[in-house]
Amino acid sequence: MSVKIIVGAQWGDEGKGKIVDLLSEQVDIVARYQGGANAGHTIVIDGEQYILHLVPSGILHENTICVIGNGVVIDPLALLEEIEFLKSKGISVDGRLWISHRAHLIMPYHKLLDQAKESKDADRKIGTTGRGIGPAYVDKVNRMGIRIVDLLDRDTLEEKLRTNIKEKNEILKKIYKEKEIDVDQIINEYLDFDKKIDPYIKDVSTFLNESLKDGKQILLEGAQGTLLDIDFGTYPYVTSSNPTSGGACAGVGIGPTKIESVLGVIKAYTTRVGMGPFPTEIGDEEDFDLRDLGGEYGATTGRPRRCGWFDAVIAKFAVQVNGLDSFALTKLDVLDTLEEVKVCVAYKYKGKTITTFPSEMRILENCEPVYESFPGWQKPTSGIRSYQDLPANAKAYLDAIKNLTQTDFSIISVGSGREQTILIG
Ligand code: GDP
Ligand code: IMO
Ligand code: MG
């Protein structure tokens, strides 16, 4: 029995796609447990880049089965587009991609509501991806969501759509002063999805538990990251699901007793997309641009990512709330040319030193980072494949992070390619 959870330890985009792809070689099944097409997981193989939004990052290994769990919110249009994209690259998903019949659907009105709320309510803008994620989870929790299984019963689907669209039209018209949606057009479009989605539907919980009994190895792939978690993230600047490891069991239907380990993916510095506090953000005043060095532009929306120094307060928090066994640290190579690198070891708030991550945004917004500085290594690391061969200054930087977080590294990534990886232990 082996189930490993992979979670983002910061604000997303830590390089989960690369790490999941890398580890997929050793497993039978990779399952996504939350989020939706707000995710953008990048995998680079022989210089070719694949960006996945809904399909798990194991799909590029032909012997790996991929599963989308009940915790994911699925936009059928985005899913079918991604399946077509993979087919165009010669990657067959037939018989190796399964979708939970319990997963909820993202409908066009979810996307309209997401975008309307963001544009009309400027004071409370989150900077969402506009993919309808929040409104779809709202309907799920409000017990009025439409699930994959509903696609298979045309009468139920039509009835649910009519009820939902009636309500959404009131909101769109009266609150957001937007155009109403044409209910018949949506019904016609979505009734057709039954045949297209049917071949992929499965009882995912049963499948995964049976597979475990057969001795299969499973990876549970998180989207987003710890600080975007609806409970533990920088609320309200978060996504609407639980990317933290606790969300994994509920998102696929595996019990916690089956989990063997939890791996946290963490960047050698910090980035975030969208609004919200970010204590170690560098801003424009520095004389180098981490964004360009790291190619920090969103894989889903293309937005420039905000960049900052490594924050050990966040890393420790991620260890705590996810129960991390080890880190996979990515993008070490991005820091190769710097003369100096910094790690935030604590925050100063109103003259006091804080070493635990604050839950109140009012406090976090006013925290000053306390930095420890390290001399840069100023040597290329992308070609290095063993920990011993890393420059001494790079090892000192990694040691500091390890000591501050009391957590070991099991993987160090020094480039986007599969092979640009140092495995430890
Ligand atoms: P994810 O959402 O966590 O899967 O991360 P993204 O794919 O959104 O962003 C990570 C970016 O960094 C992608 O463009 C990856 O190809 C790239 N990447 C991953 N690991 C490394 C690394 O070690 N070094 C460099 N230079 N790029 C990396
Ligand atoms: P991956 O899986 C980085 C951010 C958005 C916004 C907030 C809420 O690639 O790491 P949402 O559309 O989810 O309602 O937006 O969450 N966000 C991400 N940031 N990586 C992601 O996914 C993200 N998915 C959502 O930018 O701040
Ligand atoms: Mg991403």
Side-chain angles (χ1 to χ4, degrees), residues 239-363:
T239 192
S240 303
S241 63
N242 285 117
T244 45
S245 58
C249 290
V252 295
I254 286 181
T257 49
K258 305 284 192 286
I259 307 299
E260 190 178 274
S261 63
V262 187
L263 173 66
V265 185
I266 198 157
K267 243 180 234 188
Y269 49 97
T270 314
T271 63
R272 99 170 280 183
V273 202
M275 320 293 280
F278 181 174
T280 65
E281 184 167 17
I282 291 174
D284 295 330
E285 73 279 8
E286 297 278 330
D287 59 358
F288 69 93
D289 195 350
L290 210 44
R291 181 179 298 142
D292 285 337
L293 286 172
E296 295 296 353
Y297 295 88
T300 296
T301 58
R303 289 178 292 177
R305 294 174 182 152
R306 298 159 63 191
C307 297
W309 294 113
F310 188 91
D311 187 334
V313 181
I314 287 174
K316 276 195 295 182
F317 183 64
V319 172
Q320 173 187 310
V321 297
N322 294 297
L324 298 183
D325 294 291
S326 68
F327 281 126
L329 182 129
T330 60
K331 302 191 102 164
L332 183 69
D333 56 297
V334 172
L335 306 180
D336 282 354
T337 54
L338 305 186
E339 277 175 30
E340 180 197 31
V341 281
K342 293 192 213 175
V343 172
C344 168
V345 295
Y347 301 146
K348 276 264 185 229
Y349 177 71
K350 290 191 172 170
K352 282 205 189 117
T353 302
I354 303 180
T355 53
T356 52
F357 194 69
S359 56
E360 279 176 77
M361 288 313 99
R362 194 174 40 79
I363 297 180

Side-chain angles (χ1 to χ4, degrees), residues 37 41 49 61 63 106-107 122 127 134 188 192 248 254 282 377 380 392 424:
H41 296 180
Q49 190 184 62
H61 289 272
N63 296 323
I106 295 189
M107 288 289 167
N188 286 336
D192 259 4
I254 286 181
I282 291 174
W377 40 98
I424 301 167

Side-chain angles (χ1 to χ4, degrees), residues 41-79:
H41 296 180
T42 313
I43 300 162
V44 179
I45 297 167
D46 298 331
E48 185 160 15
Q49 190 184 62
Y50 301 80
I51 298 178
L52 299 170
H53 302 286
L54 277 165
V55 174
S57 304
I59 201 75
L60 303 181
H61 289 272
E62 58 182 358
N63 296 323
T64 308
I65 304 279
C66 286
V67 172
I68 300 178
N70 55 281
V72 176
V73 279
I74 299 177
D75 175 350
L77 283 170
L79 178 68

Side-chain angles (χ1 to χ4, degrees), residues 128-299:
T128 71
T129 59
R131 299 294 192 267
I133 305 296
Y137 279 115
V138 165
D139 277 0
K140 173 178 177 176
V141 175
N142 202 16
R143 295 157 296 186
M144 59 190 293
I146 297 180
R147 301 193 297 170
I148 287 281
V149 68
D150 296 324
L151 283 176
L152 304 181
D153 176 348
R154 289 186 168 219
D155 292 339
T156 310
L157 178 64
E158 181 163 348
E159 191 195 312
K160 285 192 172 185
L161 276 173
R162 284 194 188 280
T163 313
N164 277 342
I165 294 175
K166 194 166 168 232
E167 190 209 74
K168 304 308 180 214
N169 272 340
E170 292 282 299
I171 301 173
L172 283 168
K173 190 171 68 178
K174 294 193 179 143
I175 297 183
Y176 297 118
K177 316 284 182 247
E178 291 281 349
K179 261 186 20 208
E180 293 186 39
I181 12 184
D182 182 340
V183 60
D184 291 312
Q185 190 190 326
I186 294 194
I187 286 172
N188 286 336
E189 194 181 347
Y190 280 74
L191 282 181
D192 259 4
F193 279 122
D194 59 351
K195 287 189 218 76
K196 292 182 186 151
I197 298 276
D198 193 30
Y200 302 106
I201 302 178
K202 230 192 202 2
D203 177 342
V204 157
S205 169
T206 304
F207 171 67
L208 293 179
N209 282 284
E210 293 295 327
S211 301
L212 281 174
K213 280 188 201 145
D214 292 342
K216 304 286 188 208
Q217 312 271 319
I218 300 177
L219 271 188
L220 303 183
E221 173 181 5
Q224 290 82 53
T226 303
L227 294 186
L228 290 172
D229 186 277
I230 187 78
D231 286 284
F232 292 104
T234 44
Y235 192 90
Y237 301 101
V238 293
T239 192
S240 303
S241 63
N242 285 117
T244 45
S245 58
C249 290
V252 295
I254 286 181
T257 49
K258 305 284 192 286
I259 307 299
E260 190 178 274
S261 63
V262 187
L263 173 66
V265 185
I266 198 157
K267 243 180 234 188
Y269 49 97
T270 314
T271 63
R272 99 170 280 183
V273 202
M275 320 293 280
F278 181 174
T280 65
E281 184 167 17
I282 291 174
D284 295 330
E285 73 279 8
E286 297 278 330
D287 59 358
F288 69 93
D289 195 350
L290 210 44
R291 181 179 298 142
D292 285 337
L293 286 172
E296 295 296 353
Y297 295 88

